[in-house]
Amino acid sequence: MASSEQQEHAVALLQPKVEEAYTTDGSLDIDGNPALKHRTGGWRTCRSILGTEFCYCLAYYGIMYNLVTYLTTELHQSNVAAAKNVSTWQATCFLTPLAGAVVADSYWGRYRTMVVGCCVAVAGMLMASLSALLPQLIESSSTLSMEIILFLGLYMIAFGVGGLRPCLISFGADQFNAGDPSELISKGSYFNWYIFTMNCGSVISTSGMVWVQDHYGWALGLAIPAMVLAVGLSCLVAASRAYRFQTTRGSPLTRVCQVVVAAVCKFNVAPPDDMSLLYELPDDASSMKVVERIEHTTDLRFFDKAAVVTASDEEAAGAAPRNPWRLCVVTQVEELKIFVRMLPLWACITFFYTGTAQVNSTFVEQGMAMDARVGSLRVPPASLLTFQMLTTITLIPLYDRAFVPAVRRLTGREKDISELVRIGGGLAMVVLAMAAAALVETKRVRAWQTAMEKTSIMWQVPQFVLVGVGELLTSIGQLDFFYSQAPPAMKTVCAALALGAIAAGDYLSSIIVTAVSWATATGGRPGWIPDDLNEGHLDRFFWMMAGLGCLNLAAFMSCAMKYKTRKAC
């Protein structure tokens, strides 16, 4: 029999292996037990999540891209009414993820929110398909009844997407343990393949789904997205026993509001010079067992007031539990600080999507004034968007499999270039895209003025390619940035914030175009963007966007240099 010393030595040798068997980020398996590394998470589960993302994009964009055609041809809406309805629905689809993120982080968790959201979205797509099938089922059905069923289905889709879209991003990243260097590298690759999968689904939607709708009718064309998303739901549920789950930590918005209210109430209280005097609970406190402690930082001192223990707080402590609206722990204060630090960077990223919004508006208008013939084919101006998607799809595997390993070997860092550097590179690409569009417009107008042959639409390809490169850098970089920098209790909310930048960018683009049209069309002048572009100065608009992009890039660089990076988790 082995001696007691030998047994203790054997236990000491085995203990690290036992610890290494579990994740270190507090993730759990489906039964609520600590997650085992070799049985949960990693690429084995992310493949299912990416499969769900592919099905979701194929289904969602299969409806979105051709919806205006359905409204005008089948429901006989005017162009203005159809465009307005589609824009309103799209904006709703980008705003509902904020509500879905709060529900996921506060109550249901990401997995349950995704499953419920996916079910609601499938039901909404079936409802939309029913609107097209209604005239075949009921001969006396009216256009009004079709509209009611369609819009009920569309807004069910919007709310379903609100639960699915932000959680797919953060839940996929949850499958990699940041405490493991190899898994941390894989987490960065996950965001690359997430955007790759999204673009693949979009490309198929712009071609295959639209073709089915145009050739086989809208009832089938709207039913296929529902079936595709149902397949995505099956992919999500099939791997449920292998997922890693994060515990919910209460409403993140409530925690943020508590710090703001407590700091305002103590407006006249000065934070102590010794920051160790700020209020914090011990590690063994029940409320701290599900919260990752965040160390105090010295900036944004105003919010530290929320953690200052005053005489009234000490008196109240003896009679009742701490009032979180009057006294907050340091970790809670730091969560708000992290969120506030990210906001200036988020505002700069928003302008990236203001630039990319031109792809579906002014770029198409420019193409409509050019020669769309390529040999014996006629290329629809809107179809050049495919070059942007194909650029992103082509470059992501090269970036992930060739560029990233090369950078790691050169720098010796676990990750490649930082998220902020990638985002800045994407912002620069949009500036170059606007400059390329301006040069093409100058060439087009000069050809028209000299009665030369129309400029070929293929001259637009470089500007679409530059936007595709920008999406590779900024879209992926911001997803990685917002997830890694977000406090654990706000992962999904910050992922939704990244999606909110897209909606904000679209709104800002609309405001800029409206303002430019109003300012340049006074006094009977046609303005920069008239119906007949030959009478306007679209090139000046593109140069203006390039100039604003340069200012935005400078602002971003200033904010990025001041930003205090938080250790990724």
Side-chain angles (χ1 to χ4, degrees):
M1 180 180 292
S3 66
S4 59
E5 292 182 357
Q6 289 175 324
Q7 291 177 351
E8 291 176 1
H9 181 64
V11 170
L13 290 175
L14 291 174
Q15 187 64 29
K17 295 181 180 180
V18 173
E19 292 177 354
E20 289 176 1
Y22 295 95
T23 59
T24 58
D25 58 358
S27 56
L28 308 174
D29 62 19
I30 194 170
D31 298 317
N33 301 316
L36 289 165
K37 282 187 180 181
H38 65 285
R39 291 185 180 178
T40 62
W43 284 111
R44 69 171 67 84
T45 53
C46 275
R47 292 188 184 96
S48 296
I49 295 171
L50 291 176
T52 303
E53 168 67 12
F54 175 78
C55 293
Y56 150 70
C57 288
L58 185 59
Y60 172 74
Y61 290 112
I63 292 177
M64 187 199 75
Y65 280 133
N66 214 23
L67 181 60
V68 69
T69 305
Y70 179 64
L71 294 176
T72 54
T73 58
E74 300 296 319
L75 301 184
H76 310 296
Q77 292 187 358
S78 66
N79 289 335
V80 173
K84 179 181 177 181
N85 286 327
V86 172
S87 297
T88 303
W89 177 66
Q90 283 183 261
T92 305
C93 289
F94 279 108
L95 292 176
T96 51
L98 289 172
V102 172
V103 171
D105 280 346
S106 307
Y107 308 108
W108 289 356
R110 290 155 198 164
Y111 177 73
R112 185 184 300 177
T113 304
M114 283 192 297
V115 172
V116 173
C118 205
C119 291
V120 172
V122 169
M125 290 178 182
L126 289 174
M127 189 76 71
S129 177
L130 179 61
S131 72
L133 193 62
L134 193 62
Q136 302 176 30
L137 299 176
I138 306 175
E139 294 183 0
S140 60
S141 61
S142 63
T143 302
L144 178 61
S145 59
M146 293 174 64
E147 285 187 356
I148 292 174
I149 294 175
L150 173 67
F151 284 105
L152 178 60
L154 288 178
Y155 282 92
M156 286 176 65
I157 294 171
F159 281 97
V161 164
L164 183 63
R165 179 178 273 171
C167 295
L168 276 172
I169 301 172
S170 55
F171 188 68
D174 287 345
Q175 305 311 305
F176 301 100
N177 178 16
D180 186 318
S182 62
E183 291 197 20
L184 181 61
I185 293 173
S186 297
K187 182 184 290 187
S189 293
Y190 165 74
F191 293 110
N192 295 335
W193 292 106
Y194 178 89
I195 295 296
F196 176 85
T197 303
M198 182 181 71
N199 279 275
C200 287
S202 300
V203 166
I204 296 174
S205 294
T206 57
S207 52
M209 293 298 297
V210 173
W211 186 83
V212 169
Q213 291 163 356
D214 289 344
H215 289 78
Y216 291 96
W218 287 97
L220 179 62
L222 294 175
I224 289 178
M227 293 184 282
V228 170
L229 188 57
V231 172
L233 176 61
S234 301
C235 291
L236 182 67
V237 174
S240 58
R241 296 208 63 83
Y243 291 135
R244 295 174 184 173
F245 301 87
Q246 298 291 332
T247 56
T248 57
R249 298 175 171 87
S251 172
L253 296 184
T254 300
R255 294 169 64 85
V256 165
C257 291
Q258 287 172 344
V259 176
V260 174
V261 171
V264 171
C265 290
K266 298 177 180 178
F267 182 82
N268 295 322
V269 176
D273 294 329
D274 183 2
M275 293 304 167
S276 63
L277 299 177
L278 295 176
Y279 184 71
E280 185 64 283
L281 294 174
D283 292 332
D284 57 355
S286 59
S287 60
M288 294 300 292
K289 291 180 180 179
V290 294
V291 177
E292 178 186 321
R293 189 180 297 277
I294 304 175
E295 297 298 325
H296 178 266
T297 54
T298 57
D299 60 337
L300 300 172
R301 293 285 304 275
F302 173 78
F303 296 117
D304 288 337
K305 297 175 185 287
V308 175
V309 182
T310 62
S312 58
D313 293 326
E314 292 177 344
E315 292 176 3
R322 170 184 65 93
N323 181 358
W325 295 94
R326 289 286 303 176
L327 182 62
C328 303
V329 297
V330 170
T331 294
Q332 191 174 345
V333 173
E334 290 303 316
E335 288 176 350
L336 175 58
K337 286 185 179 182
I338 292 169
F339 187 75
V340 171
R341 290 190 198 106
M342 291 193 294
L343 289 180
L345 296 169
W346 177 86
C348 294
I349 293 171
T350 294
F351 191 83
F352 170 81
Y353 294 103
T354 301
T356 59
Q358 308 313 311
V359 168
N360 296 313
S361 55
T362 53
F363 280 16
V364 175
E365 292 172 357
Q366 183 185 41
M368 292 172 65
M370 302 175 75
D371 184 3
R373 294 173 300 170
V374 179
S376 59
L377 299 176
R378 185 185 179 281
V379 179
S383 67
L384 289 185
L385 176 63
T386 306
F387 283 99
Q388 174 195 336
M389 296 179 183
L390 291 177
T391 298
T392 305
I393 290 173
T394 303
L395 291 181
I396 285 178
L398 293 175
Y399 179 88
D400 191 74
R401 298 303 182 188
F403 178 78
V404 171
V407 171
R408 287 180 185 142
R409 286 193 297 268
L410 290 173
T411 62
R413 296 174 54 190
E414 293 178 353
K415 298 190 71 174
D416 53 299
I417 58 177
S418 70
E419 298 93 342
L420 294 179
V421 172
R422 292 178 69 173
I423 294 170
L427 297 181
M429 288 298 107
V430 168
V431 173
L432 294 178
M434 293 299 110
L439 293 173
V440 169
E441 181 64 11
T442 301
K443 175 180 174 61
R444 186 197 68 80
V445 172
R446 185 178 294 118
W448 175 80
Q449 291 173 342
T450 56
M452 294 174 61
E453 187 176 339
K454 271 189 173 183
T455 305
S456 172
I457 198 172
M458 298 307 290
W459 280 95
Q460 282 191 300
V461 171
Q463 63 206 54
F464 281 93
V465 170
L466 287 169
V467 172
V469 176
E471 182 176 357
L472 165 69
L473 296 172
T474 295
S475 296
I476 299 174
Q478 72 152 346
L479 290 178
D480 198 350
F481 172 76
F482 283 116
Y483 181 87
S484 62
Q485 296 299 301
M490 302 175 69
K491 293 290 187 184
T492 313
V493 169
C494 288
L497 190 67
L499 296 172
I502 302 175
D506 288 338
Y507 284 129
L508 181 58
S509 173
S510 178
I511 292 171
I512 290 175
V513 171
T514 302
V516 167
S517 299
W518 173 81
T520 61
T522 57
R525 292 176 296 177
W528 287 1
I529 317 176
D531 292 335
D532 184 357
L533 292 183
N534 294 325
E535 298 178 357
H537 293 283
L538 186 59
D539 57 329
R540 296 180 183 176
F541 173 77
F542 288 138
W543 283 123
M544 183 199 72
M545 291 294 294
L548 292 175
C550 288
L551 294 176
N552 181 66
L553 179 58
F556 175 82
M557 292 173 63
S558 176
C559 294
M561 288 188 291
K562 296 176 182 177
Y563 182 79
K564 294 182 178 180
T565 303
R566 178 173 177 264
K567 183 180 178 181
C569 63

